[in-house]
Amino acid sequence: HRVLTVYGELAKIQTVLAATVYRGDLNVNELCCGLDTLSVSTFVVSQYTNLTLTSTVSTNIIMFPVNDVPTISTPTLFTVLEDNRLSLAAIKITDPDVADNNGLFTVSFAVVNGTLETGQILGFIKQQTEDSISFIIAPSLLPKVLSKFFYLNRHNWNGNDTLSVQVSDENSTVFSDVPIIVTPVNDAPGLIVKSDSATLEDVE
């Protein structure tokens, strides 16, 4: 319960009330029932009899739901050495509407110059190739999936890549592009020697 108490002359009290705004708790419609009660009590002390007169009225406040768009939280950029796997577990995706109503959302990842390695997807896979994947999943299962999510550059490739992330609930879609810098690694020279070689005597 939250209480606002105002003392003073009636005109001053009305001025304060005129500037007072009600604001529901964050996501209260999803967390509870979307219903609140406003109770107003007045206390008047008689200057003649020293008696306190009280009066209370209450009214219901109904809060209608408003869709909260999903949020994608990622590092500013990823860096990884050439031909090394990069964990994508640092990506965080939230949506209070979906989470509080046991709903699902669609998550998509794509890269340009690499591949995406995944463990078991605890959801419904809509589409998957070497460099992209799209699946439907419950928010509570997503951290476990992302903990086994890896990016790997194409063999011996280095440079700048981009990880594109897309998240959709029933009402809205959000996007985020995260740079991936693949740092070059020196590859040692290779020597190939034929195991069976033949030549004539006294001939180089």
Side-chain angles (χ1 to χ4, degrees), residues 12-196:
K12 294 181 178 179
I13 293 176
Q14 289 177 330
T15 299
V16 172
L17 293 178
T20 302
V21 177
Y22 170 88
R23 189 183 302 276
D25 290 338
L26 183 65
N27 295 320
V28 68
N29 188 70
E30 289 77 29
L31 297 175
C32 182
C33 51
L35 181 66
D36 204 348
T37 301
L38 173 65
S39 297
V40 180
S41 299
T42 58
F43 302 86
V44 179
V45 179
S46 172
Q47 60 179 333
Y48 301 107
T49 63
N50 204 32
L51 296 176
T52 301
L53 304 177
T54 64
S55 176
T56 301
V57 294
S58 298
T59 185
N60 291 327
I61 299 175
I62 300 175
M63 287 163 280
F64 294 98
V66 174
N67 179 62
D68 294 302
V69 299
T71 59
I72 304 171
S73 176
T74 67
T76 304
L77 60 85
F78 287 109
T79 59
V80 64
L81 294 176
E82 174 189 328
D83 296 332
N84 282 261
R85 298 164 80 209
L86 170 68
S87 172
L88 302 179
I91 298 173
K92 308 296 181 185
I93 298 172
T94 58
D95 188 330
D97 292 333
V98 173
D100 296 328
N101 292 299
N102 298 316
L104 303 171
F105 51 32
T106 302
V107 184
S108 302
F109 296 90
V111 293
V112 179
N113 294 301
T115 60
L116 294 173
E117 300 179 4
T118 66
Q120 180 183 8
I121 298 296
L122 305 175
F124 173 73
I125 297 178
K126 297 179 62 177
Q127 175 267 337
Q128 184 173 18
T129 64
E130 283 191 350
D131 55 10
S132 67
I133 186 171
S134 178
F135 53 90
I136 300 173
I137 193 170
S140 60
L141 299 177
L142 189 57
K144 185 174 182 179
V145 171
L146 291 179
S147 69
K148 299 180 180 179
F149 222 64
F150 295 91
Y151 165 87
L152 180 63
N153 63 278
R154 300 194 186 282
H155 184 58
N156 284 335
W157 180 89
N158 59 76
N160 297 331
D161 204 347
T162 300
L163 172 67
S164 297
V165 185
Q166 175 180 315
V167 183
S168 302
D169 60 15
E170 293 182 355
N171 300 291
S172 54
T173 301
V174 293
F175 305 87
S176 180
D177 288 336
V178 190
I180 300 176
I181 300 177
V182 181
T183 305
V185 174
N186 181 59
D187 294 310
L191 178 64
I192 300 176
V193 179
K194 294 182 179 180
S195 57
D196 297 322

